[in-house]
Amino acid sequence: MPGKLLVIGGAESHDAGDDEILERFVLLAGGSDAHLVVIATASESPGEREQEYAEVLHRLGAQRVTALRLASREDANGEPAVAVIERASGVFFTGGDQLRITTVLGGTKVDKALHARLAEGMILAGTSAGAAMMSSTMILGGSLATVSTGSVRTGPGMEFLPGVLIDMHFAERGRLNRLLSAIAMFPHELGLGIDENTAILVDGDSFEVLGRGTVTVIDAGQARDIQCPTAGFTDELGGPIALYGAQLHVLPAGHWFDLTERAPKRKAEEDHAY
Amino acid sequence: MPGKLLVIGGAESHDAGDDEILERFVLLAGGSDAHLVVIATASESPGEREQEYAEVLHRLGAQRVTALRLASREDANGEPAVAVIERASGVFFTGGDQLRITTVLGGTKVDKALHARLAEGMILAGTSAGAAMMSSTMILGGSLATVSTGSVRTGPGMEFLPGVLIDMHFAERGRLNRLLSAIAMFPHELGLGIDENTAILVDGDSFEVLGRGTVTVIDAGQARDIQCPTAGFTDELGGPIALYGAQLHVLPAGHWFDLTERAPKRKAEEDHAY
């Protein structure tokens, strides 16, 4: 993945002077030369979201912003849509319902074109539902219930960033328990809880934290013991989970994390030219 | 502390057939021989709370339940109140505002009598605010904001259980970030997040988990690095905190934790006669 991923925990501020995350997106996509595409398929009001982000991205210096309306799989398999993606230097997915993204885009020509452009160096950004869908496994929903097999539902995401499970609005909606529930059942995945107004910028096998909040990393890979009763999948409370010895990291802006080593690091060694 | 502590994460159910935590309290205090005392000082409606708990505890087999109304420090320094505590085999603190407990009881004769009775083998129970006040340091309040120096306020608790920081309603109110904020600043304390309808029963230097939810244990004692900016104590958002390598454990009912070793264990070795 020579391209970059910008995974935003939701509610990224659009106010002038407080929009460093979207500003970084525009810069990494080429600044005034960027070809930006906004996809609001997750939203129930795609027109409003398209207009909102087009205005902000213009204000932040992008001259070419295209709203790509994908309301159906027919749209997402259409040559016009593919042509828009093939010209893009940056694509932004808005929030809404992540299942709308997979059901409309999954396996379509636009899906393939996005992966191809990412391999060629494009930056792909998403907020909220647009963040949740980034990984190979995404959280579909869950409850504030206790840590249990029944309190979270997962499904395959769009597979731009393998090996992690992303939850967003993390602090604001108190989502530790649903992320812990998922990570206990699937400890090979790394759990990332991203606060609002906060993002990770994935570059190769590392990410940098941007924004006002923190990213909570939960790593159950080295957990000493995990007990997940398989009964209760149909019950909201499900079977309570025991998890001994997960690692937890809290990372604010300017901190880096190595996804291969599963360890925080202070700074990237390499230069980040943009 | 030869006595036992029962620390409940709030909203313990009073429904018949679903009140195992309070049932355990009655049993440990002596069952039908128990002398129980309910202290509703934390509540703004102490009369209602007293009546509610008296009814439940009677139903669970306790024959002697005394509501001890402590509305002022004068009450809490009075000989009649001290005499009630001295006869008690079990004392229960209701929920409400934990600062009401410290301001009315802290340093009074009732406070001293509670510690003395605990040393003699009494069981002391508390739910919600009555749980928060148990330790040497208690959480006064906080926000759902990000992990930061400004997002939690702590103060001295009633010092029945040293070495831990207790947060309650943990899953239900999404309180990871305020507990993490406190633990990052004070990593010598062990963080305990107790869900509703869930409790820890502390016996010596171990506790057992009871109830329907889980207890989340956060141990930053071995954290590799912690950065807590001291600026921002007056700001809700405060300075964002970095925390590398805390340990996290999730414990459902029937699991034990060794407070000295700071490690989960499957079962207590000793018999628990009651």
Side-chain angles (χ1 to χ4, degrees):
Chain A
M1 187 188 71
K4 292 184 175 66
L5 295 173
L6 183 62
V7 187
I8 310 170
E12 72 292 343
S13 179
H14 302 161
D15 302 335
D18 191 23
D19 43 19
E20 57 169 316
I21 293 171
L22 294 179
E23 197 169 6
R24 190 76 169 262
F25 172 62
V26 173
L27 281 171
L28 287 167
S32 57
D33 294 329
H35 264 99
L36 301 185
V37 174
V38 174
I39 299 178
T41 298
S43 174
E44 290 187 355
S45 312
E48 290 172 31
R49 291 292 85 70
E50 289 164 4
Q51 193 181 342
E52 172 190 344
Y53 282 98
E55 283 173 12
V56 176
L57 297 172
H58 276 305
R59 179 167 54 72
L60 294 172
Q63 294 180 14
R64 283 165 296 197
V65 183
T66 305
L68 180 58
R69 183 75 61 92
L70 301 173
S72 66
R73 293 184 64 81
E74 194 179 349
D75 292 345
N77 274 312
E79 286 307 326
V82 171
V84 169
I85 299 297
E86 284 176 347
R87 281 195 304 271
S89 62
V91 172
F92 187 93
F93 276 82
T94 72
D97 178 355
Q98 47 267 51
L99 267 182
R100 290 264 311 151
I101 299 174
T102 58
T103 52
V104 173
L105 270 74
T108 63
K109 288 181 180 166
V110 162
D111 179 1
K112 290 184 182 68
L114 286 167
H115 280 86
R117 286 295 297 134
L118 191 62
E120 291 166 9
M122 184 186 78
I123 177 161
L124 177 64
T127 187
S128 194
M133 66 81 179
M134 287 279 189
S135 192
S136 304
T137 307
M138 68 179 180
I139 293 182
L140 297 173
S143 67
L144 281 178
T146 195
V147 180
S148 71
T149 52
S151 66
V152 66
R153 292 180 62 202
T154 58
M158 296 292 285
E159 306 187 19
F160 297 110
L161 178 63
V164 308
L165 259 171
I166 297 163
D167 213 348
M168 55 307 172
H169 306 285
F170 190 68
E172 293 77 9
R173 299 191 187 169
R175 286 178 162 171
L176 172 70
N177 278 18
R178 79 178 204 180
L179 185 57
L180 274 177
S181 302
I183 291 304
M185 291 188 278
F186 314 113
H188 41 301
E189 307 278 329
L190 191 73
L192 302 181
I194 307 178
D195 289 354
E196 294 180 357
N197 287 299
T198 308
I200 64 168
L201 178 61
V202 185
D203 186 3
D205 67 347
S206 295
F207 68 75
E208 178 186 359
V209 178
L210 311 178
R212 295 210 299 252
T214 62
V215 174
T216 303
V217 181
I218 301 172
D219 179 4
Q222 304 296 317
R224 187 153 60 82
D225 195 12
I226 300 176
Q227 295 167 48
C228 285
T230 49
F233 275 103
T234 55
D235 176 3
E236 169 119 328
L237 279 174
I241 287 173
L243 170 62
Y244 292 2
Q247 284 268 309
L248 183 148
H249 314 284
V250 178
L251 309 173
H255 288 253
W256 289 75
F257 193 85
D258 184 318
L259 289 163
T260 304
E261 299 293 327
R262 287 191 167 198
K265 54 182 188 179
R266 289 293 186 102
K267 273 272 180 197
E269 322 285 272
E270 69 267 51
D271 276 348
H272 288 269
Y274 62 85
Chain B
M1 187 189 72
K4 293 184 175 66
L5 296 173
L6 183 62
V7 188
I8 310 170
E12 72 293 343
S13 178
H14 302 161
D15 302 335
D18 192 23
D19 43 19
E20 58 169 314
I21 294 172
L22 294 178
E23 198 169 6
R24 190 78 169 263
F25 172 62
V26 173
L27 282 170
L28 287 167
S32 58
D33 293 331
H35 266 100
L36 301 185
V37 174
V38 174
I39 300 179
T41 297
S43 173
E44 289 189 354
S45 311
E48 290 173 32
R49 291 291 87 70
E50 288 164 4
Q51 193 181 342
E52 171 190 345
Y53 282 98
E55 283 173 10
V56 176
L57 297 171
H58 277 305
R59 178 166 54 73
L60 294 172
Q63 293 179 15
R64 285 165 295 197
V65 182
T66 305
L68 180 60
R69 183 74 62 93
L70 302 173
S72 66
R73 294 184 63 84
E74 192 178 352
D75 292 346
N77 273 313
E79 287 306 326
V82 170
V84 169
I85 299 298
E86 284 175 347
R87 282 195 304 271
S89 62
V91 172
F92 187 94
F93 277 82
T94 72
D97 178 354
Q98 47 266 50
L99 267 182
R100 290 264 311 150
I101 298 175
T102 57
T103 51
V104 172
L105 269 75
T108 64
K109 288 180 180 167
V110 162
D111 178 1
K112 289 184 182 68
L114 286 167
H115 279 86
R117 286 295 297 133
L118 190 62
E120 291 165 9
M122 184 186 79
I123 176 161
L124 177 65
T127 187
S128 194
M133 67 80 179
M134 287 279 188
S135 192
S136 304
T137 307
M138 67 180 181
I139 292 181
L140 297 174
S143 67
L144 281 179
T146 197
V147 180
S148 71
T149 52
S151 65
V152 65
R153 292 179 61 202
T154 58
M158 296 292 285
E159 306 187 20
F160 296 111
L161 178 62
V164 306
L165 258 171
I166 298 162
D167 212 348
M168 56 307 173
H169 307 284
F170 190 68
E172 293 76 9
R173 299 190 188 171
R175 285 178 162 172
L176 172 70
N177 278 19
R178 80 180 204 181
L179 184 58
L180 274 178
S181 302
I183 291 304
M185 289 188 280
F186 313 113
H188 42 300
E189 307 279 328
L190 191 73
L192 302 181
I194 307 178
D195 289 354
E196 294 180 357
N197 287 298
T198 308
I200 64 169
L201 178 60
V202 186
D203 186 4
D205 66 348
S206 295
F207 68 75
E208 178 188 358
V209 178
L210 311 178
R212 294 209 301 251
T214 63
V215 174
T216 302
V217 181
I218 301 171
D219 179 4
Q222 303 296 318
R224 187 153 59 83
D225 194 13
I226 300 176
Q227 296 167 47
C228 286
T230 48
F233 274 104
T234 55
D235 177 3
E236 169 119 326
L237 279 174
I241 287 172
L243 171 61
Y244 292 2
Q247 283 268 309
L248 182 148
H249 314 284
V250 179
L251 309 173
H255 287 252
W256 289 74
F257 193 86
D258 185 319
L259 288 163
T260 305
E261 300 293 327
R262 287 192 167 196
K265 55 182 188 180
R266 288 291 188 102
K267 273 271 177 196
E269 323 285 89
E270 70 268 49
D271 277 348
H272 289 269
Y274 61 87

